[in-house]
Structures are given as C-alpha cells and as structure tokens.
Amino acid sequence: MPVPKIQPPRAVASDLRPISLTATLAKVLESVVGSWILERVGDSLDDRQYGALRQRSTTHALVDMLHRWHVVVDKGESARKVCVDFAKAFDHVDHNVLVAKMVALGLPDVIVRWMCTFLQGRRQRVKIGDVLSDWLQLSAGMPQGSYLGPLTFIILIDALRPGCLTHKYVDDTTMTEFMSRSVVSSMQSFVDELVQQATDAGMTVNDRKTRELLIGSVIKDPPPPV
C-alpha cells in the first residue's frame, strides 16, 4: 500500500513509499529466522549501525554524533559533515549481492537457502482504496514493512565503511571529518570511497538529497562542496 512521504504527495515516483502487507504467520516465521541471523552475525556488524537492531535507536545515534561534534568544537576545531542519501535504497537491493554477503558472513547453509526461497518468486500489486492493480513479478528489492527487510538491508550495506567516522541508521549515512586549522580536508576522498563501496553493493547515492554541513569556527574559507 502506498504511504505518502509528504502531504499532499506531488509525484507518484518520489513522494510515495510502498509498504508490504504481510500475513501474521509469515511475520512470526520472519522473526524466528531473523533471530537466528542476529545470533550468528550480530557481533560482526558495524558498531555504528543504529537501525534495525535491538537496543539501538536514532536517539543513540544522535547522542553519539552530538557528543563528538561538541568535543571537537570545544577544542577550537571544526567538523565537516556529509549526510548521504541513497536513491530508492530498498527497491535497488540486488538479491545476488545480498546472498553473497550472507555467505561471506558465514551464515549456515540452511539460512542462506531459506533466504533465497524468501526472495525468489515474489510478486506485488498495489491497493488504493478498493482498487487493486495487476500482479507484478519482482526481480530485486526488499519488502518494506517486513521484519527481514531492514535486517537484511543492513547486512547488505555493512561494508560501507569509509576512512572517516561514519554513523548509519539503516540507509541514512552520516560521514564526519574532524579538522584543525592546519589540516586540509580529505572529505572528497572519503566520499569517493563510500560511493565505490555503495556501487559494489548495488546502491546509488542520491546527490539531490545528500547534504553537507560545516560545524565550528576554524574553517574561515570553507572547502569546495562535495
């Protein structure tokens, strides 16, 4: 079912989010498989991934980021921050890349095979009011609104670890570079590294929604935008 990102939505392609309606029994089964996956790979996932994991939230991510930025500013230095957005992140998940990453993490063969079955042969149709569209066969993407959707997605993007401090909340990624007066910014190289890692994972950076912010007073002449 399409859920508006903004009210009122202005464009079908960009202002609606498709949420998958899943049967209750399927949700229970997904949660069991998800628990098995977390038991085996939870410790190896990025420590600064704050989404889709128990006892982590946007609050934890914000507290950690704000603390680090304040410490830097208190020392008279600056922070250069880039907030990265991915275009249609859940819709662009390549199933082959995802399965390969699950194998690389050492997940048992039975779980990998179950996930292959979960992803293959998926169909979707859209419901608006009482009107239903025709069924469409899916070849990529993860179902939004499901238990395994966000969990498998953070496994897919776990390798997005550029050389600077990086916080993630599912697909929302914030890169931070700390700079003193004598330091030349390396943020462009960090962004290039992230873009390459995202490309390897089958993801595309949305440059229209990617933003930069400079925090602090050291940088009198801001570096060129990323």
Side-chain angles (χ1 to χ4, degrees), residues 139-151:
S139 59
M142 292 300 299
Q144 296 193 50
S146 66
Y147 181 91
L148 286 176
L151 176 58

Side-chain angles (χ1 to χ4, degrees), residues 37-149:
I37 293 174
L38 281 175
E39 286 177 4
R40 288 159 175 79
V41 305
D43 293 339
S44 62
L45 295 177
D46 192 344
D47 289 338
R48 293 194 172 88
Q49 170 61 262
Y50 293 91
L53 295 171
R54 293 188 182 93
Q55 299 180 344
R56 301 190 193 183
S57 66
T58 52
T59 301
H60 293 99
L62 288 170
V63 167
D64 189 48
M65 285 189 286
L66 289 171
H67 170 71
R68 292 173 182 274
W69 297 340
H70 285 150
V71 168
V72 169
V73 172
D74 288 344
K75 292 192 298 184
E77 299 178 353
S78 295
R80 187 179 188 188
K81 180 171 77 78
V82 175
C83 299
V84 181
D85 182 78
F86 294 98
K88 299 292 183 180
F90 276 76
D91 297 334
H92 288 172
V93 172
D94 187 312
H95 295 167
N96 293 326
V97 175
L98 174 60
V99 170
K101 288 185 176 294
M102 297 180 73
V103 172
L105 284 171
L107 282 170
D109 184 65
V110 63
I111 293 181
V112 175
R113 288 179 179 274
W114 189 93
M115 281 301 305
C116 289
T117 304
F118 176 77
L119 295 171
Q120 289 176 349
R122 297 193 69 91
R123 298 190 305 162
Q124 73 175 27
R125 62 179 179 178
V126 179
K127 180 180 181 182
I128 301 179
D130 295 327
V131 180
L132 289 170
S133 71
D134 295 331
W135 286 103
L136 176 69
Q137 191 78 21
L138 301 179
S139 59
M142 292 300 299
Q144 296 193 50
S146 66
Y147 181 91
L148 286 176

